[in-house]
Amino acid sequence: MANLKQIKRRIASVGSTQQITKAMKMVAAAKLRRAQESITLARPYALRLQDVMGRLGIDRDDVSHPLLAEREPKTVCYLVVTADRGLCGGFNSSVIKRTLQALVEAPREQRSVLYCVGKKGVDYFRHHVDVEMVGKMSGVFQELDYSAATSIGHDLCALYESGKIDRVILVFNEFKSAIQQVLHSDQLLPVPLEETEQETLSKVDALFEPDRDSLLATLLPMYVNRLVWRVLLDSYAAEQGARMTAMESATDNAGEMIARLTLQYNRSRQAAITQEISEIVGGAAAIQ
């Protein structure tokens, strides 16, 4: 009977874990819906800002702002975006592995530094990697706000304009769906120039007030902040999607384990009852 008590205790323990994982899945699903709404609301501003940037007719050969200046990447900064919490499958480990791969594959003459966003990335690279961390930010995703993006963008722009870093690479998970996150390594600085045919046509006979350089001085930092904000929104949504999927899988696994333990419990109980009956019958036969 001691074995039966152990199995019953195990069933109760797994059942409690299943309730927790099910609740975490529901919470992640609710947060995911809000994150998707935030991405949708941010899209019109991003499209309009991109349209204005296209109308300015920015040319890489005509460097009129330091954030556009291309130079030899002697010092590369990796902006690593992870979550503040775990229990989200391979969400954090994929970003960390991609960053480690980039650090290993970097040319020997190139210096690498890190700017970590998210507690998981900060803790890992602080304790396991001997690379300078020029910036770190934890707790961003507890109450995600645009001010976090402006703070990160301001720090990176200041480092780039001062010449302390020569390139900034984003390493993050882009949200595609609740079950799909795409790992990215994209350039943030110098500002990438992506020009569509419509933007090329919109440059014709464009008049600027104030002058073009003044507009660039205002719009380029805004553009960088917007890119960082998009990355934070995507990463947050991807985190919730990964956590929802992981908790759903954990809940299903707990259900399967409870079914196996229940079957084992019933078999053990049946065997114990059969043994007791056999002993009673044997004792009665011996008395007769």
Side-chain angles (χ1 to χ4, degrees):
M1 294 297 293
N3 189 32
L4 290 177
K5 290 181 180 179
Q6 292 176 359
I7 297 174
K8 196 171 184 178
R9 192 179 302 117
R10 184 93 182 274
I11 292 174
S13 175
V14 175
S16 299
T17 303
Q18 186 184 39
Q19 290 180 348
I20 294 172
T21 56
K22 188 175 181 180
M24 291 183 67
K25 173 194 169 184
M26 296 174 63
V27 171
K31 290 183 177 180
L32 176 59
R33 285 194 294 271
R34 290 198 295 269
Q36 288 177 298
E37 291 174 0
S38 298
I39 293 174
T40 302
L41 292 174
R43 190 169 295 145
Y45 174 81
L47 292 175
R48 178 58 62 184
L49 181 58
Q50 187 174 358
D51 178 65
V52 174
M53 293 288 291
R55 290 176 180 273
L56 289 176
I58 303 173
D59 189 350
R60 187 70 74 186
D61 296 330
D62 178 24
V63 179
S64 51
H65 193 278
L67 295 182
L68 294 171
E70 286 256 21
R71 51 180 182 259
E72 184 181 355
K74 297 180 180 178
T75 302
V76 176
C77 176
Y78 294 93
L79 177 59
V80 184
V81 184
T82 59
D84 291 318
R85 299 163 54 202
L87 298 177
C88 48
F91 177 85
N92 294 312
S93 61
S94 62
V95 175
I96 291 173
K97 287 179 181 177
R98 175 64 66 86
T99 306
L100 291 174
Q101 180 183 359
L103 294 175
V104 171
E105 295 177 352
R108 183 172 299 180
E109 64 275 7
Q110 175 183 299
R111 177 171 170 263
S112 299
V113 296
L114 298 173
Y115 194 115
C116 295
V117 178
K119 188 175 185 297
K120 289 297 179 179
V122 171
D123 291 345
Y124 181 87
F125 288 107
R126 183 172 55 188
H127 295 104
H128 297 89
V129 180
D130 185 19
V131 177
E132 181 184 357
M133 195 177 297
V134 296
K136 60 181 179 180
M137 192 174 291
S138 299
V140 175
F141 300 104
Q142 294 179 3
E143 293 184 6
L144 189 57
D145 188 76
Y146 186 72
S147 60
T150 57
S151 177
I152 296 169
H154 178 269
D155 291 345
L156 294 174
C157 288
L159 289 169
Y160 188 82
E161 292 181 10
S162 65
K164 294 181 180 179
I165 57 177
D166 303 305
R167 184 167 295 173
V168 178
I169 303 297
L170 292 162
V171 186
F172 70 103
N173 279 307
E174 180 186 13
F175 173 77
K176 287 295 183 183
S177 67
I179 60 173
Q180 183 183 15
Q181 299 85 39
V182 181
L183 187 61
H184 276 264
S185 296
D186 299 335
Q187 179 175 309
L188 177 65
L189 291 174
V191 174
L193 300 181
E194 298 178 359
E195 184 179 328
T196 65
E197 181 180 356
Q198 180 62 36
E199 290 170 345
T200 303
L201 294 175
S202 66
K203 297 177 191 175
V204 180
D205 297 330
L207 299 176
F208 306 112
E209 181 64 35
D211 60 279
R212 178 172 172 274
D213 291 345
S214 299
L215 286 174
L216 280 177
T218 302
L219 291 177
L220 280 174
M222 291 173 60
Y223 187 71
V224 172
N225 294 341
R226 199 273 305 172
L227 287 177
V228 175
W229 177 237
R230 180 183 71 83
V231 167
L232 295 181
L233 289 176
D234 265 323
S235 181
Y236 182 67
E239 174 196 349
Q240 301 308 324
R243 180 170 291 111
M244 187 178 71
T245 303
M247 291 302 101
E248 182 178 10
S249 178
T251 302
D252 294 341
N253 292 338
E256 294 176 2
M257 184 176 293
I258 289 174
R260 289 197 303 269
L261 289 172
T262 302
L263 181 61
Q264 182 181 353
Y265 175 82
N266 291 335
R267 286 177 175 174
S268 298
R269 183 169 178 269
Q270 184 179 5
I273 293 172
T274 303
Q275 182 178 357
E276 290 178 1
I277 293 175
S278 300
E279 291 175 354
I280 294 173
V281 172
I287 293 174
Q288 292 177 357

